[in-house]
């Protein structure tokens, strides 16, 4: 069976997320959300908060020199919250210490049901679907509109991994392999240099694609003929080899058209 999921990357600084539950499940969900998107705007609704989650949020608050929640919305306007935390990247996490109410989903874009109680999670799902909100329900794949998969982040590079729920262990091990193969500093430098090269290209879409393909030919090879590489070595060495360096940008050929949209 092939994986029919369509991957998308959310701008969580522009969307509002509701997480129902603040125990072990909620801590697991939020730790991955904030690790990948530390600028996220999250509202938590839960009658109590576990020590691990509170420690995680307190650590983010300590890292933030000054709290700035400007522009962040909350799930229920005018209601007193039990706690608010900020991240250095501009994220804001607000906690309402009470039981979930169906109206909580009205002012958010994404909903995560993260409790250990199936009846509570189902009630969250029902309320979210009535308002046409995208929803993730912990440990209940058939109720999920989206999954929170394994993620690798290296500077501007972000890779999301999904096995369509069939083998989270493989996704975890593949993430670890990618993290070893893509060193943080070197990968960031490589992508930034490619970005500079792209910005200096002239010509139309086809010309730019040809130049970039020439530059990156063999860039992702895991092995090169006649030698072996340490983790990440082949990827990074390929970028500096003479055969992989593109010639100077050319003028567009006569008759070629198109518009640049290279992502």
């Amino acid at each position: 069976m092939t994986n029919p999921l369509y991957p998308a990357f959310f701008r969580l600084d522009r969307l509002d997320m509701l997480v129902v539950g603040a125990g072990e499940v909620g801590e697991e969900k939020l730790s991955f959300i904030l690790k990948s998107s530390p600028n996220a705007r999250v509202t938590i609704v839960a009658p109590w908060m576990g020590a691990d989650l509170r420690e995680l949020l307190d650590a983010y608050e300590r890292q933030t020199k000054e709290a700035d929640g400007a522009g962040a919305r909350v799930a229920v306007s005018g209601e007193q919250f039990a706690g608010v935390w900020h991240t250095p990247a501009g994220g804001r996490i607000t906690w309402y210490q009470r039981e979930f109410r169906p109206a909580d989903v009205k002012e958010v874009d994404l909903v995560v049901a993260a409790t250990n109680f199936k009846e509570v999670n189902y009630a969250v799902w029902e309320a979210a679907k009535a308002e046409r909100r995208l929803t993730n329900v912990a440990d209940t794949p058939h109720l999920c509109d989206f999954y929170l998969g394994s993620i690798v982040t290296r500077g501007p590079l972000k890779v999301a991994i999904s096995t369509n729920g069939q083998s989270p262990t493989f996704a975890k091990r593949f993430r670890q392999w990618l993290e070893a193969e893509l060193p943080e500093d070197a990968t960031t430098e490589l992508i930034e240099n490619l970005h500079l090269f792209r910005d200096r290209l002239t010509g139309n879409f086809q010309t730019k694609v040809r130049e970039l393909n020439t530059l990156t030919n063999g860039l992702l090879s895991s092995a090169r003929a006649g030698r072996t590489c340490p983790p990440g070595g082949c990827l990074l060495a390929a970028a500096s080899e003479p055969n992989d360096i593109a010639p100077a940008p050319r003028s567009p050929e006569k008759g070629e058209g198109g518009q640049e949209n290279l992502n």
Side-chain angles (χ1 to χ4, degrees):
M1 176 183 176
T2 60
N3 189 333
L5 299 176
Y6 185 86
F9 292 91
F10 292 116
R11 288 287 305 269
L12 295 187
D13 60 326
R14 298 184 180 181
L15 301 173
D16 290 296
M17 175 178 285
L18 170 68
V19 175
V20 180
E24 182 178 353
V25 180
E27 189 275 334
E28 180 184 34
K29 298 284 188 180
L30 275 166
S31 64
F32 285 111
I33 290 169
L34 294 175
K35 178 182 179 182
S36 183
S37 299
N39 58 352
R41 304 190 314 217
V42 182
T43 296
I44 302 172
V45 171
W48 61 277
M49 179 176 288
D52 289 343
L53 179 54
R54 186 182 292 273
E55 182 178 344
L56 172 71
L57 297 178
D58 286 345
Y60 275 110
E61 185 68 28
R62 287 194 298 270
Q63 296 168 12
T64 307
K65 294 182 179 179
E66 58 180 305
D68 182 8
R73 290 184 288 153
V74 296
V76 183
S77 60
E79 183 180 357
Q80 182 62 39
F81 46 73
V84 59
W85 296 264
H86 304 82
T87 71
R92 174 181 168 126
I93 303 92
T94 306
W95 174 35
Y96 291 94
Q97 189 174 10
R98 57 167 174 77
E99 301 286 346
F100 168 75
R101 301 170 186 166
D104 292 338
V105 304
K106 291 182 179 292
E107 299 298 326
V108 299
D109 304 292
L110 303 172
V111 177
V112 176
T115 79
N116 282 317
F117 305 100
K118 290 185 179 298
E119 63 276 13
V120 175
N121 287 347
Y122 190 79
V124 174
W125 176 81
E126 282 189 313
K129 297 322 295 176
E131 297 293 334
R132 302 181 64 84
R133 301 296 187 260
L134 295 178
T135 310
N136 174 276
V137 182
D139 201 30
T140 316
H142 71 279
L143 294 183
C144 292
D145 299 313
F146 65 95
Y147 300 134
L148 302 174
S150 294
I151 296 174
V152 177
T153 302
R154 288 292 183 263
L157 175 68
K158 181 158 289 189
V159 181
I161 304 165
S162 167
T163 61
N164 201 21
Q166 295 188 34
S167 182
T169 299
F170 176 83
K172 173 184 177 181
R173 296 307 180 194
F174 188 52
R175 171 182 60 80
Q176 292 172 338
W177 180 83
L178 285 175
E179 288 175 340
E181 184 66 20
L182 300 170
E184 176 81 39
D185 293 341
T187 303
T188 299
E189 182 180 5
L190 172 60
I191 294 176
E192 289 176 348
N193 287 338
L194 288 172
H195 177 71
L196 290 173
F197 179 83
R198 171 190 166 180
D199 285 347
R200 293 170 182 170
L201 289 175
T202 60
N204 59 19
F205 179 82
Q206 287 89 348
T207 302
K208 293 177 180 180
V209 169
R210 183 168 56 247
E211 301 290 356
L212 288 168
N213 282 339
T214 302
L215 176 67
T216 58
N217 179 37
L219 194 59
L220 299 181
S221 297
S222 59
R224 309 289 287 190
R227 63 182 174 86
T228 59
C229 307
C234 291
L235 169 67
L236 303 172
S240 61
E241 292 186 1
N243 291 338
D244 293 325
I245 298 178
R250 298 190 297 269
S251 300
E253 297 179 8
K254 183 178 180 180
E256 289 185 339
Q259 182 177 0
E260 181 183 11
N261 186 23
L262 308 174
N263 294 315

